[in-house]
Amino acid sequence: MEKLLNLISEQVSAAFGAAGFDPACGRVTVSNRPDLCEYQCNGAMPAAKTYHKAPIQIAEAVAAALAGNPAFSEVQAVKPGFLNLRLNPDWLAAYLESMRTAERFGVAADPKAGTVVIDYGGANVAKPLHIGHLRSAIIGESIKRIQHFFGNETIGDTHLGDWGLQMGLVIAALQDRQPELCYFDPDFAGPYPEEAPFTISDLEEIYPAASARSKVDEAFAARAHDATFELQQGRPGYLALWKHIMAVSKADLHKNYGRLGVHFEVWLGESDAQSYIPSMIDRMREMGLLVESEGAQVIEVQEPTDTKEVPPCIIMKSDGATLYATTDLATICQRMETWKPDRILYVVDKRQSLHFEQVFRAARKAALVGPETELRHIGYGTMNGKDGKPFKTRAGGVMRLETLINEITDFVRAKVEENKLVTGADVEDTTAKIALAALKYGDLMNAPTKDYIFDLDRFAAFEGNTGPYILYTIVRIKSILARCGAWEELSIAAPETPEAKDLMLALTRLPDALELAYRDCAPNAICAYIYELAGYANKFYHETRILAEEDKQKQQGYIALIGLTKRVLETCIDLLGFSAPEKM
Ligand code: ARG
């Protein structure tokens, strides 16, 4: 469907043409003086220069050419040469009616849509999921849904950190705890037990202790390094342990991501990229890209236009070990081979931006991707506590994601129970949905790159620019609709009040908000839009007697309007990654 602004711009452009002026002057914008008009066109001002005429004369001629145009109820030429426009209510209703009946509200898919890999989540296996990874999960999930909405095939890959030193640390620590286990016996002929010799709570205790110990105990650190190396070389007992660690961790990650409403199409990790490394390095060498620097093999990525230093991308250390960047490059090979994506989006902490700059440049130099494939790092800022420093537990430690979700849930449940919003079996469902909305909206309303302060009181408030406020607006509409019988087929009617018209005009701005969110990978554009839309919806609801309206035709128009509003709001929060309860 054509966007409303384009449709009315066409009309005004045609009127410029009919009055003998350049149609290009007919561009219409949303009014910056809503008290005077809904839309405006300022094209008479530049036209005045070309045609050596007073702008007001031009504006008057265009206004005359627009007389009787079905799109407008009011066209005014005002000094010095503005055209002030108001939409014809019937025309607006017809426009919204086509939006109501169109697929995806008539928002056009991206004509260049293709296959998009979204690399987000990025949890590290064996380490507890902590809030450092929260934003990646929340923002990445939303960006994925937005990409999908615009017609792309989307593949969310959590890219687990499953091949690093943390594995060696856990293995070395396990060996100290239970040296008798068959995994450490080099002569063991198998098969290894099905059951893991530890639980997730054991793991959660083992890793932090081992990590702390490796910093003070050199011998232990060396053993952990050796274990990592032997694992990577394929020592059977260590591989078997690694599989247990993976299974136990993944089950826990599934649970926590599930509670966050975050779902990955694939659960690949750093380990899955390893088999691509040897041939990739051979190719880089054949292309003459690898140079030696302090014993390591690196690719130079500095460009003459750089204003800052961009250090070379290290591919292999002198001992033959490969690095984080090597794995990311190999992962690009794997993704190109498996999906041939048109775009790979990395939703990762913005402190890794230099890493991605190096990786992207190296990938292009080595032609791992062609020029048609876009590589983009969407770096996000930090979630801070009220002290402005990265969010911590009360004891000052790194907060686990599960703890944070539990805290928010308890806080919201207390509110739900205190205000008797719902009772009985509905309490948990409503609580979970409000809690998720509070957490996600509180994050997504900020541009991804910005740091923000986590403030539970503010995020969970039912008033103001919050997730619960949006849910409340939707639930309120739902409760009216529940008393209206079949509302889905009712048609939008011409607005009778300013509140109805404002709500309708806000609905027509949906495509702009979604396109902005899509183009800039900025879910915050959707938050800003639904906050505005919810405001108009609530005003309309306050000023209009919907259920008590006696004129049935009028009433049906109202119901259709709030029905459309509800569907738009629900679509938008789905793109943000949460949903509304039935009651609250
Ligand atoms: N596991 C990494 C970390 O915790 C994040 C992975 C991000 N994705 C990537 N392709 N490098 O920092």
Side-chain angles (χ1 to χ4, degrees):
M1 230 171 109
E2 194 58 78
K3 286 201 253 175
L4 186 129
L5 263 184
N6 294 344
L7 284 180
I8 58 179
S9 291
E10 268 168 31
Q11 301 297 316
V12 177
S13 296
F16 265 89
F21 306 107
D22 182 1
C25 296
R27 188 73 216 157
V28 174
T29 55
V30 173
S31 163
N32 51 23
R33 283 291 303 275
D35 51 324
L36 296 180
C37 58
E38 292 155 1
Y39 295 92
Q40 66 188 61
C41 172
N42 302 346
M45 260 67 80
K49 293 211 177 74
T50 321
Y51 299 98
H52 305 293
K53 273 196 168 179
I56 187 71
Q57 277 181 308
I58 298 177
E60 275 165 0
V62 174
L66 281 170
N69 187 300
F72 305 107
S73 60
E74 207 181 297
V75 179
Q76 257 185 348
V78 292
K79 279 190 176 157
F82 298 117
L83 278 164
N84 288 352
L85 309 165
R86 279 185 201 279
L87 293 185
N88 177 350
D90 287 309
W91 188 86
L92 176 60
Y95 183 84
L96 273 186
E97 180 60 11
S98 42
M99 209 176 143
R100 185 186 77 80
T101 47
E103 205 183 320
R104 294 200 318 262
F105 310 108
V107 178
D110 179 357
K112 291 206 252 15
T115 302
V116 184
V117 172
I118 302 103
D119 179 316
Y120 71 113
N124 296 316
V125 172
K127 300 191 198 178
L129 195 58
H130 64 81
I131 57 151
H133 293 109
L134 177 70
R135 298 207 70 195
S136 178
I138 293 179
I139 299 167
E141 180 73 22
S142 178
I143 288 176
K144 184 177 78 180
R145 293 178 186 207
I146 296 167
Q147 293 282 328
H148 189 77
F149 184 90
F150 277 89
N152 293 285
E153 194 195 319
T154 47
I155 300 144
D157 179 3
T158 173
H159 196 69
L160 291 173
D162 61 359
W163 204 237
L165 180 61
Q166 77 266 33
M167 294 297 183
L169 285 164
V170 172
I171 293 173
L174 271 173
Q175 187 166 22
D176 287 346
R177 291 174 157 225
Q178 293 167 275
E180 71 288 355
L181 289 179
C182 58
Y183 306 95
F184 304 112
D185 175 0
D187 300 324
F188 186 73
Y192 291 99
E194 299 270 307
E195 191 88 353
F198 45 75
T199 64
I200 184 70
S201 354
D202 296 333
L203 269 188
E204 283 174 352
E205 191 195 310
I206 294 170
Y207 172 75
S211 166
R213 185 172 160 200
S214 71
K215 292 192 179 99
V216 292
D217 180 342
E218 263 180 47
F220 179 75
R223 277 175 48 222
H225 272 282
D226 290 347
T228 310
F229 182 75
E230 284 185 82
L231 166 69
Q232 294 180 350
Q233 296 303 306
R235 178 169 160 167
Y238 288 6
L239 265 183
L241 265 184
W242 176 79
K243 283 186 185 141
H244 286 313
I245 302 173
M246 289 293 282
V248 169
S249 270
K250 270 194 196 172
D252 189 59
L253 288 171
H254 262 287
K255 189 183 83 190
N256 281 305
Y257 281 133
R259 278 180 81 185
L260 276 180
V262 169
H263 305 281
F264 302 100
E265 281 63 34
V266 290
W267 285 72
L268 294 177
E270 295 177 359
S271 64
D272 295 289
Q274 300 310 309
S275 61
Y276 290 82
I277 290 180
S279 57
M280 178 182 82
I281 291 186
D282 285 348
R283 198 162 134 201
M284 289 169 168
R285 189 169 289 121
E286 278 160 26
M287 291 173 84
L289 291 174
L290 292 183
V291 292
E292 200 177 304
S293 164
E294 293 166 35
Q297 299 290 311
V298 306
I299 297 184
E300 301 282 0
V301 292
Q302 183 87 38
E303 279 164 20
T305 48
D306 288 334
T307 50
K308 59 176 187 341
E309 195 203 331
V310 184
C313 185
I314 308 177
I315 304 297
M316 194 161 68
K317 290 201 288 193
S318 52
D319 63 357
T322 53
L323 296 95
Y324 187 45
T326 324
T327 302
D328 261 326
L329 287 164
T331 303
I332 292 177
C333 300
Q334 176 266 318
R335 288 174 177 161
M336 292 311 289
E337 183 184 292
T338 318
W339 303 296
K340 280 206 181 47
D342 300 281
R343 249 194 310 280
I344 308 179
L345 306 176
Y346 296 81
V347 186
V348 185
D349 195 315
K350 71 176 173 196
R351 285 169 293 190
Q352 294 191 25
S353 65
L354 179 61
H355 163 76
F356 284 108
E357 185 67 61
Q358 293 170 305
V359 166
F360 295 168
R361 288 182 182 193
R364 298 228 178 266
K365 278 188 119 174
L368 306 183
V369 295
E372 66 289 350
T373 298
E374 184 191 355
L375 302 171
R376 181 158 166 188
H377 174 214
I378 298 147
Y380 54 82
T382 317
M383 175 172 126
N384 290 327
K386 284 190 188 155
D387 58 0
K389 302 210 182 84
F391 194 79
K392 291 265 154 69
T393 59
R394 274 186 215 100
V398 176
M399 182 168 280
R400 292 180 41 200
L401 190 55
E402 194 172 4
T403 315
L404 180 77
I405 302 176
N406 288 343
E407 271 185 22
I408 300 173
T409 308
D410 292 344
F411 183 88
V412 169
R413 188 187 300 104
K415 268 186 136 169
V416 168
E417 284 172 345
E418 188 188 306
N419 298 310
K420 299 203 176 54
L421 297 182
V422 290
T423 50
D426 291 334
V427 172
E428 279 320 302
D429 178 64
T430 297
T431 297
K433 289 194 164 126
I434 298 176
L436 197 59
L439 176 66
K440 287 193 160 182
Y441 191 94
D443 186 306
L444 293 171
M445 66 183 282
N446 308 287
T449 48
K450 283 219 282 184
D451 297 345
Y452 74 97
I453 291 178
F454 180 83
D455 180 345
L456 189 47
D457 286 309
R458 191 160 57 82
F459 289 3
F462 285 16
E463 273 149 46
N465 192 0
T466 70
Y469 165 71
I470 304 293
L471 296 193
Y472 188 63
T473 308
I474 296 173
V475 169
R476 220 178 186 183
I477 300 178
K478 279 193 189 181
S479 80
I480 308 174
L481 292 175
R483 290 189 272 163
C484 294
W487 55 270
E488 285 84 354
E489 302 302 324
L490 299 178
S491 303
I492 305 278
E496 308 248 353
T497 61
E499 292 77 26
K501 198 169 190 190
D502 284 344
L503 176 56
M504 290 169 80
L505 291 172
L507 283 165
T508 67
R509 293 194 282 274
L510 172 72
D512 300 301
L514 295 182
E515 276 168 23
L516 184 61
Y518 176 58
R519 199 191 54 217
D520 293 352
C521 291
N524 53 302
I526 297 181
C527 293
Y529 174 70
I530 57 177
Y531 180 54
E532 187 196 3
L533 181 63
Y536 287 118
N538 285 315
K539 244 193 235 140
F540 172 71
Y541 172 92
H542 265 294
E543 301 298 327
T544 317
R545 294 160 39 150
I546 299 174
L547 292 169
E549 177 57 58
E550 278 166 10
D551 181 333
K552 281 294 155 223
Q553 216 171 336
K554 249 191 196 179
Q555 186 186 46
Q556 291 187 348
Y558 294 157
I559 297 171
L561 179 57
I562 60 168
L564 176 60
T565 306
K566 175 192 99 104
R567 286 173 50 221
V568 166
L569 285 171
E570 283 187 324
T571 300
C572 288
I573 64 170
D574 183 58
L575 292 176
L576 296 175
F578 56 90
S579 61
E582 282 316 304
K583 286 188 254 169
M584 87 184 246

